[in-house]
Amino acid sequence: MQSEVNLEYKVQYADTDAYGVVWHGTYLRWMEAGRVEWLFDHGVRIDELARDFGIVMPVVDINIKYKFPAKLLNNVVVSTIVKEHTAASVTFYQTVKIKETGKICTAAEVRATAIDKNGKVIRDLAGLIGLKDLKVQNADSEAIKR
Protein backbone atom coordinates (compact mmCIF):
# COMPACT_ATOMS: atom_id res chain seq x y z
CA MET A 1 0.00 0.00 0.00
CA GLN A 2 1.34 3.42 -0.94
CA SER A 3 1.86 5.48 2.15
CA GLU A 4 3.09 8.90 0.93
CA VAL A 5 0.73 11.21 -0.90
CA ASN A 6 1.87 14.42 -2.56
CA LEU A 7 -0.41 17.29 -3.46
CA GLU A 8 0.84 20.10 -5.71
CA TYR A 9 -0.41 23.66 -5.56
CA LYS A 10 0.49 27.04 -7.07
CA VAL A 11 0.46 29.83 -4.48
CA GLN A 12 -2.34 32.27 -5.26
CA TYR A 13 -2.70 35.92 -4.27
CA ALA A 14 -5.39 35.01 -1.69
CA ASP A 15 -2.84 32.73 0.06
CA THR A 16 -0.47 35.60 0.78
CA ASP A 17 -0.15 38.72 2.88
CA ALA A 18 0.43 42.22 1.53
CA TYR A 19 4.08 41.37 0.81
CA GLY A 20 3.35 38.32 -1.36
CA VAL A 21 4.48 35.91 1.39
CA VAL A 22 2.23 32.99 2.26
CA TRP A 23 0.19 33.76 5.39
CA HIS A 24 0.99 31.26 8.18
CA GLY A 25 -2.58 29.91 8.43
CA THR A 26 -2.57 28.98 4.73
CA TYR A 27 -0.15 26.14 5.43
CA LEU A 28 -2.70 24.58 7.80
CA ARG A 29 -5.35 24.68 5.06
CA TRP A 30 -2.95 23.05 2.60
CA MET A 31 -2.08 20.37 5.14
CA GLU A 32 -5.77 19.68 5.71
CA ALA A 33 -6.12 19.17 1.96
CA GLY A 34 -3.10 16.86 2.06
CA ARG A 35 -4.63 14.70 4.81
CA VAL A 36 -7.96 14.51 3.00
CA GLU A 37 -6.10 13.50 -0.19
CA TRP A 38 -4.12 10.88 1.74
CA LEU A 39 -7.34 9.38 3.10
CA PHE A 40 -9.02 9.51 -0.33
CA ASP A 41 -5.97 7.88 -1.92
CA HIS A 42 -6.32 5.07 0.63
CA GLY A 43 -10.02 4.51 -0.03
CA VAL A 44 -11.50 6.68 2.72
CA ARG A 45 -13.97 9.43 1.81
CA ILE A 46 -14.49 11.84 4.67
CA ASP A 47 -17.82 12.98 3.23
CA GLU A 48 -19.10 9.38 3.36
CA LEU A 49 -17.77 8.89 6.89
CA ALA A 50 -19.73 11.94 8.02
CA ARG A 51 -22.88 11.33 6.00
CA ASP A 52 -23.21 7.56 6.30
CA PHE A 53 -21.68 6.92 9.71
CA GLY A 54 -21.77 10.26 11.53
CA ILE A 55 -17.99 10.14 11.99
CA VAL A 56 -15.62 13.10 11.73
CA MET A 57 -11.85 13.32 12.22
CA PRO A 58 -10.90 16.52 14.07
CA VAL A 59 -7.31 17.55 14.62
CA VAL A 60 -6.51 17.23 18.33
CA ASP A 61 -2.84 18.21 18.30
CA ILE A 62 -0.50 19.96 15.91
CA ASN A 63 3.19 20.75 16.14
CA ILE A 64 4.36 22.92 13.26
CA LYS A 65 7.66 24.53 12.42
CA TYR A 66 7.82 27.39 9.94
CA LYS A 67 11.19 27.26 8.20
CA PHE A 68 11.12 29.15 4.89
CA PRO A 69 8.45 31.36 3.33
CA ALA A 70 6.63 30.33 0.18
CA LYS A 71 5.73 33.26 -2.02
CA LEU A 72 3.19 34.26 -4.62
CA LEU A 73 3.21 31.93 -7.66
CA ASN A 74 5.64 29.43 -6.09
CA ASN A 75 4.76 25.83 -6.85
CA VAL A 76 4.55 23.91 -3.58
CA VAL A 77 4.19 20.24 -2.76
CA VAL A 78 2.35 19.08 0.35
CA SER A 79 3.69 15.65 1.34
CA THR A 80 1.71 13.53 3.78
CA ILE A 81 2.60 10.25 5.45
CA VAL A 82 1.33 8.41 8.51
CA LYS A 83 3.95 8.56 11.23
CA GLU A 84 2.08 6.47 13.80
CA HIS A 85 -1.36 5.33 14.77
CA THR A 86 -3.17 3.96 17.79
CA ALA A 87 -6.64 2.55 18.29
CA ALA A 88 -7.98 6.08 18.71
CA SER A 89 -5.71 8.41 16.73
CA VAL A 90 -3.47 8.80 13.70
CA THR A 91 -0.45 11.08 13.51
CA PHE A 92 0.45 12.44 10.11
CA TYR A 93 3.84 13.91 9.27
CA GLN A 94 3.51 16.64 6.68
CA THR A 95 5.83 18.98 4.87
CA VAL A 96 5.25 21.82 2.45
CA LYS A 97 8.18 22.28 0.08
CA ILE A 98 9.00 24.55 -2.82
CA LYS A 99 8.66 22.18 -5.79
CA GLU A 100 11.57 23.48 -7.82
CA THR A 101 14.15 23.60 -5.00
CA GLY A 102 12.88 21.05 -2.48
CA LYS A 103 13.32 23.67 0.25
CA ILE A 104 11.06 22.91 3.25
CA CYS A 105 8.66 25.74 4.08
CA THR A 106 6.90 23.97 6.96
CA ALA A 107 7.08 20.63 8.71
CA ALA A 108 4.34 19.41 11.02
CA GLU A 109 3.07 16.49 13.01
CA VAL A 110 -0.71 16.49 13.08
CA ARG A 111 -2.71 14.11 15.27
CA ALA A 112 -6.35 13.45 14.47
CA THR A 113 -8.92 11.20 16.07
CA ALA A 114 -12.31 9.94 14.98
CA ILE A 115 -15.47 10.80 16.88
CA ASP A 116 -19.10 9.94 16.31
CA LYS A 117 -22.00 12.42 16.20
CA ASN A 118 -22.24 12.25 20.02
CA GLY A 119 -18.59 13.17 20.47
CA LYS A 120 -17.57 9.65 21.51
CA VAL A 121 -14.08 8.60 20.42
CA ILE A 122 -14.00 5.75 17.92
CA ARG A 123 -11.61 3.12 19.30
CA ASP A 124 -10.95 1.29 16.00
CA LEU A 125 -9.62 4.16 13.93
CA ALA A 126 -6.96 1.97 12.32
CA GLY A 127 -9.59 -0.45 11.06
CA LEU A 128 -11.95 2.34 10.08
CA ILE A 129 -9.51 4.06 7.75
CA GLY A 130 -7.48 1.02 6.65
CA LEU A 131 -4.30 1.52 8.67
CA LYS A 132 -3.99 -2.00 10.03
CA ASP A 133 -1.92 -3.21 7.06
CA LEU A 134 -0.05 0.06 6.54
CA LYS A 135 3.66 0.10 7.26
CA VAL A 136 4.27 3.23 9.25
CA GLN A 137 7.03 5.31 7.72
CA ASN A 138 9.92 6.64 9.69
CA ALA A 139 9.33 10.37 9.38
CA ASP A 140 12.18 12.82 9.60
CA SER A 141 10.57 14.77 12.38
CA GLU A 142 13.96 16.37 13.09
CA ALA A 143 12.77 19.11 10.73
CA ILE A 144 10.20 20.06 13.35
CA LYS A 145 12.75 20.25 16.14
CA ARG A 146 15.17 22.51 14.30
Side-chain angles (χ1 to χ4, degrees):
M1 175 185 283
Q2 177 190 355
S3 56
E4 181 175 3
V5 172
N6 294 308
L7 184 63
E8 294 186 20
Y9 183 77
K10 183 180 288 296
V11 177
Q12 301 298 309
Y13 187 74
D15 300 320
T16 65
D17 61 17
Y19 303 102
V21 174
V22 171
W23 176 67
H24 69 279
T26 300
Y27 296 102
L28 298 174
R29 185 171 38 88
W30 293 343
M31 289 179 183
E32 175 76 18
R35 291 189 303 279
V36 169
E37 193 65 25
W38 189 96
L39 289 165
F40 185 78
D41 212 52
H42 290 82
V44 178
R45 299 218 11 197
I46 62 167
D47 59 333
E48 290 175 357
L49 279 178
R51 182 188 64 235
D52 299 344
F53 304 102
I55 295 171
V56 294
M57 290 184 59
V59 169
V60 295
D61 187 47
I62 187 165
N63 181 11
I64 189 167
K65 180 75 172 181
Y66 296 93
K67 302 176 74 52
F68 183 81
K71 297 181 180 173
L72 181 63
L73 300 180
N74 279 157
N75 294 303
V76 296
V77 178
V78 180
S79 297
T80 304
I81 64 171
V82 169
K83 181 180 177 196
E84 62 187 19
H85 58 82
T86 67
S89 70
V90 58
T91 301
F92 295 94
Y93 177 73
Q94 297 185 274
T95 58
V96 177
K97 296 179 183 178
I98 304 293
K99 181 179 179 182
E100 291 78 13
T101 65
K103 189 136 181 137
I104 295 175
C105 299
T106 60
E109 289 181 4
V110 182
R111 187 167 52 96
T113 193
I115 58 173
D116 66 17
K117 60 186 171 193
N118 298 316
K120 183 178 179 199
V121 174
I122 305 297
R123 295 285 174 196
D124 185 24
L125 180 58
L128 179 68
I129 64 173
L131 292 174
K132 287 186 178 180
D133 298 325
L134 178 71
K135 282 185 107 175
V136 175
Q137 287 191 308
N138 198 3
D140 178 22
S141 42
E142 284 301 311
I144 294 173
K145 295 174 186 163
R146 288 183 251 148

